[in-house]
Amino acid sequence: MSLVSLHHTPTYASWLNQVERWFGLLTDKKLRRGAHRSIQALEKDIRDWITNRNDDPKPFTWAKSADDILERLNSYLQRIPGAGR
């Protein structure tokens, strides 16, 4: 029995970034700061957090334009030997 399972994600799986971000917010805003006396209390806290986020959704606002992001990425790629080949 293996304790580790490797999963290969699709090349264009940008939706996974959103899933990772969601779990990061849950961890930062609720789990790291919470003190739960039982599994049931933890589960209730998570469900309440999800309900509150769904009741007042806030779209992600990009701080930079796509051109700015691509320009910065290009400057990084130029500094990495063999990148972009």
Side-chain angles (χ1 to χ4, degrees), residues 15-71:
W15 61 271
L16 285 176
N17 293 335
Q18 296 299 318
V19 173
E20 290 172 4
R21 183 72 185 125
W22 186 88
F23 276 106
L25 286 170
L26 172 63
T27 300
D28 290 343
K29 303 288 184 188
K30 193 49 71 176
L31 300 181
R32 281 197 184 124
R33 298 175 183 205
H36 306 94
R37 295 184 179 268
S38 67
I39 297 295
Q40 291 80 12
L42 171 61
E43 183 177 344
K44 181 183 181 317
D45 211 14
I46 291 171
R47 288 183 187 277
D48 289 346
W49 185 82
I50 292 169
T51 299
N52 289 335
R53 288 218 20 116
N54 287 340
D55 287 345
D56 187 24
K58 292 182 177 56
F60 181 79
T61 303
W62 290 99
K64 296 187 181 218
S65 71
D67 289 337
D68 290 338
I69 294 168
L70 292 173
E71 183 179 316

